[in-house]
């Protein structure tokens, strides 16, 4: 059984966890500012400076319609776009196109001291931290089983995964991807992808695995 906290980092499975998961601390309350002394108003003829323009939010690349048509298709696209053999470049614009503006990816697990934690990262953070490793080492992640809940335009998927290195046929890790989706009337979007790996102390429950045959 492989742990998510070995020195080698494997996305979507263990990205950023091997360095120690650190849950963000709550910011301390800012001190109450001291009121500035009253000043005489500026002459009416003096124009106020124009506010600086707000930069436009980055626009995600256009998605393939077949990738975002259903909850099943967008989850399948997520697995497909990060998977590939050693040396194969990933289509990161396709990856970006799956996520809603402001979406987050959240690896979670245990630290070396035994406590649990998580990290909040953006899809762009994921590309920066894990993209090179995917190409150099080869990585495949595939879905084993899925439990889906839906109410209107929101969907939650518990997607059980297994991960494989390079050309190996035996998975080295399993776990759960907890995926939240939203439909804006035109397509499905990924809002969050949170994940944690199976460990000897935390095996996958039978209800999140394919039914045994026979």
């Amino acid at each position: 059984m492989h742990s998510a906290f070995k020195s080698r980092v494997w996305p979507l499975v263990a990205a950023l966890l091997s360095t120690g998961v650190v849950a963000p601390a709550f910011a301390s309350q800012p001190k109450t500012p001291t009121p500035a002394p009253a000043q005489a108003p500026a002459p009416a003829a003096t124009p106020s400076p124009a506010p600086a323009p707000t930069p436009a939010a980055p626009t995600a690349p256009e998605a393939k319609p077949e990738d975002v048509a259903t909850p099943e298709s967008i989850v399948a696209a997520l697995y497909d776009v990060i998977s590939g053999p050693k040396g194969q470049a990933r289509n990161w614009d396709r990856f970006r196109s799956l996520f809603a503006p402001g979406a987050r990816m959240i690896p979670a697990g245990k630290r070396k001291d035994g406590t649990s934690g998580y990290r909040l990262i953006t899809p762009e953070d994921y590309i920066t931290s894990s993209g090179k490793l995917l190409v150099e080492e080869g990585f495949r992640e595939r879905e084993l089983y899925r439990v889906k809940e839906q109410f209107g335009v929101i969907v939650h998927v518990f997607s059980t995964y297994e991960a494989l290195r390079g050309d190996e046929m035996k998975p080295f890790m399993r776990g759960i991807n907890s995926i939240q989706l939203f439909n804006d009337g035109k397509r499905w979007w990924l809002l969050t992808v949170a994940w944690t790996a199976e460990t000897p102390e935390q095996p996958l429950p039978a209800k999140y695995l394919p039914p045994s045959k026979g």
Side-chain angles (χ1 to χ4, degrees), residues 36-51:
Q39 296 180 351
T46 303
S48 301

Side-chain angles (χ1 to χ4, degrees), residues 1-11 13-23 106-119 161 165 172-174 195-202:
M1 186 67 64
H2 292 261
S3 166
F5 300 96
K6 291 193 174 183
S7 59
R8 182 169 290 176
V9 181
W10 291 96
V13 183
L16 305 182
L17 290 180
S18 65
T19 56
V21 183
V22 180
I106 313 169
K110 284 192 175 182
R111 303 183 182 94
K112 292 181 179 180
D113 64 4
T115 61
S116 297
Y118 64 92
R119 299 187 84 172
Y161 67 78
R165 296 187 182 100
F172 73 95
M173 189 181 295
R174 303 191 306 179
W195 67 95
T196 194
E198 180 182 44
T199 67
E201 300 77 26
Q202 181 178 270

